[in-house]
């Protein structure tokens, strides 16, 4: 009998993040409360840099970005906020890192959770930045997916490559 499998990974859709940043920049240029604050949002590789005049403007800028990300259906769990840094000219900067791939600690936590489900014939292994789950019964795999979705691991989980 053939085995079925699926992959568990994490990460934000970078195209949707790019769209959300562009929408936030457009609104940033039009909002009255950001006039003259030299506020900016810059999208880098797997990170977003927020730059503005003061802490309260940074809070408003963060809220603006989060609103746009939620509208584009990007999970806020994929964001990891760095500490607020003082920048030149009495401005503040904050780097927001985008989650890409499952860390080894999260993979161990997922492994432990899947083992705790007690599903017979279900195996799991870490492959690069994703977790592959295999099993003989499709129903067992589907119940594993359901249980993983219901539990909060602090990262957005994506289930891909479901194969029979």
């Amino acid at each position: 009998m053939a085995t079925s499998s699926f992959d568990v990974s994490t990460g934000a859709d970078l195209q949707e993040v790019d769209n959300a940043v562009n929408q936030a920049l457009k609104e940033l240029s039009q909002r009255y409360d950001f006039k003259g604050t030299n506020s900016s949002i810059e999208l880098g590789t797997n990170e977003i840099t927020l730059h503005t005049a003061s802490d309260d403007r940074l809070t408003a800028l963060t809220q603006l970005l989060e609103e746009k990300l939620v509208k584009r259906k990007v999970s806020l769990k994929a964001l990891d906020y760095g500490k607020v840094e003082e920048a030149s000219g009495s401005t503040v900067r904050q780097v927001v890192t985008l989650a890409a791939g499952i860390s080894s600690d999260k993979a161990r936590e997922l492994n432990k959770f899947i083992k705790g489900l007690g599903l017979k014939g279900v195996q799991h292994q870490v492959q690069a930045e994703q977790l592959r789950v295999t099993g003989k019964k499709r129903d067992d795999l589907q119940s594993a997916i359901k249980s993983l979705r219901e539990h909060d691991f602090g990262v957005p989980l994506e289930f891909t490559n479901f194969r029979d």
Side-chain angles (χ1 to χ4, degrees):
M1 185 174 176
T3 60
S4 301
S5 68
F6 68 89
D7 296 333
V8 181
S9 62
T10 185
D13 182 0
L14 293 180
Q15 184 61 53
E16 291 297 332
V17 171
D18 183 43
N19 292 342
V21 167
N22 287 335
Q23 286 178 347
L25 282 171
K26 186 175 181 181
E27 186 171 326
L28 180 67
S29 67
Q30 295 172 352
R31 277 187 39 179
Y32 179 76
D33 57 338
F34 284 109
K35 295 278 189 233
T37 60
N38 270 347
S39 299
S40 67
I41 302 173
E42 298 164 11
L43 179 63
T45 311
N46 288 336
E47 69 178 27
I48 302 170
T49 305
L50 306 174
H51 190 100
T52 190
S54 63
D55 283 336
D56 62 326
R57 288 295 90 211
L58 184 63
T59 305
L61 193 60
T62 304
Q63 182 180 2
L64 173 66
L65 178 64
E66 287 178 352
E67 285 173 5
K68 299 304 176 187
L69 288 168
V70 167
K71 248 186 205 171
R72 306 287 315 178
K73 295 186 175 32
V74 176
S75 176
L76 296 181
K77 291 180 184 178
L79 304 178
D80 182 30
Y81 291 93
K83 66 182 185 87
V84 178
E85 306 167 354
E86 295 293 324
S88 63
S90 71
T91 59
V92 291
R93 178 185 326 127
Q94 186 174 30
V95 177
V96 182
T97 310
L98 299 168
I102 296 177
S103 67
S104 59
D105 294 337
K106 283 294 175 195
R108 266 188 246 114
E109 186 180 342
L110 288 167
N111 280 339
K112 192 174 180 182
F113 182 78
I114 292 171
K115 271 185 190 172
L117 292 174
L119 299 171
K120 295 220 181 210
V122 174
Q123 292 125 11
H124 42 274
Q125 62 191 48
V126 178
Q127 295 180 335
E129 294 183 338
Q130 64 184 13
L131 180 72
R132 167 132 324 150
V133 181
T134 58
K136 291 181 181 174
K137 294 182 183 174
R138 181 182 191 153
D139 292 342
D140 287 344
L141 293 180
Q142 288 174 339
S143 66
I145 289 174
K146 182 178 181 233
S147 299
L148 287 168
R149 277 200 176 116
E150 290 171 353
H151 192 270
D152 183 23
F153 292 99
V155 293
L157 297 178
E158 293 178 353
F159 302 96
T160 56
N161 291 340
F162 194 100
R163 296 196 173 120
D164 278 332

